[in-house]
Structure formats: structure tokens, C-alpha cells
Amino acid sequence: MARVPSAVVAATGLVGGYGVARWTKKRQLGGLVLAVAGAAAARQWRRQAGGTAAGALTAAYVAAFAGSHPLAKKVGAWPSVLGVAGAVALTSWIVADREA
């Protein structure tokens, strides 16, 4: 079975977490999606790029989630979520997936 790149896992966690929370009206369920995908991505980041890079990418993932909230007030919810997910995916690809 082909491995899903960590960039895809991370972006899916951010977009999927928001989508699940919005469509189900259950923020906790969206948070669960966000957390599970974040943990899966962190595990891949550690294997592929080491602990320091995994820590930095995990911090970026959490910062993207937190930063999407104030950004949404300026550009809208979906553009904000898609923007931060794209930024995390690009960073993840550069740091961990490009060499894999």
C-alpha cells in the first residue's frame, strides 16, 4: 500500500477538522479529526525528518489552526482554512516529504 505524504495528512486534518465541525455542528468531533490527523502527521514527520523537525512542524500545525480563526474574520472561514492548510502542506513537503 502506498504511503500518504505527511503534507496531505496535515492538510486533510485542518480542512477535514473544520468541515466536520461545521457540517455536524459538533466542534468536539472536528477537534478529534484535527487531533488524529495531527498525531498521524507528527508520527510521519518524526520518522522522515527527525524529532526537531517534527516538533517544529507540529507547532506550525497548531499555529495554523489557531491563526485560522483571526484570519477568518478578514477573509472568510473557508479561504482561511484552505490558506493555512496549504501553508502547512507546503512546509511539510519541503521539510519532510520532498526527500521521501
Side-chain angles (χ1 to χ4, degrees):
M1 186 155 109
R3 181 184 60 82
V4 177
S6 62
V8 173
V9 174
T12 300
L14 289 162
V15 174
Y18 174 70
V20 166
R22 182 172 179 139
W23 291 316
T24 65
K25 308 274 191 252
K26 296 184 188 310
R27 294 179 71 173
Q28 298 85 352
L29 190 55
L32 179 63
V33 171
L34 179 79
V36 168
R43 194 169 32 254
Q44 278 186 265
W45 292 329
R46 183 172 173 83
R47 269 196 317 264
Q48 292 170 208
T52 301
L57 288 166
T58 300
Y61 184 82
V62 172
F65 167 70
S68 70
H69 292 82
L71 182 60
K73 292 180 181 180
K74 297 178 191 259
V75 300
W78 277 113
S80 174
V81 170
L82 294 173
V84 300
V88 167
L90 178 61
T91 304
S92 178
W93 179 79
I94 290 168
V95 173
D97 293 330
R98 183 171 41 175
E99 301 292 321

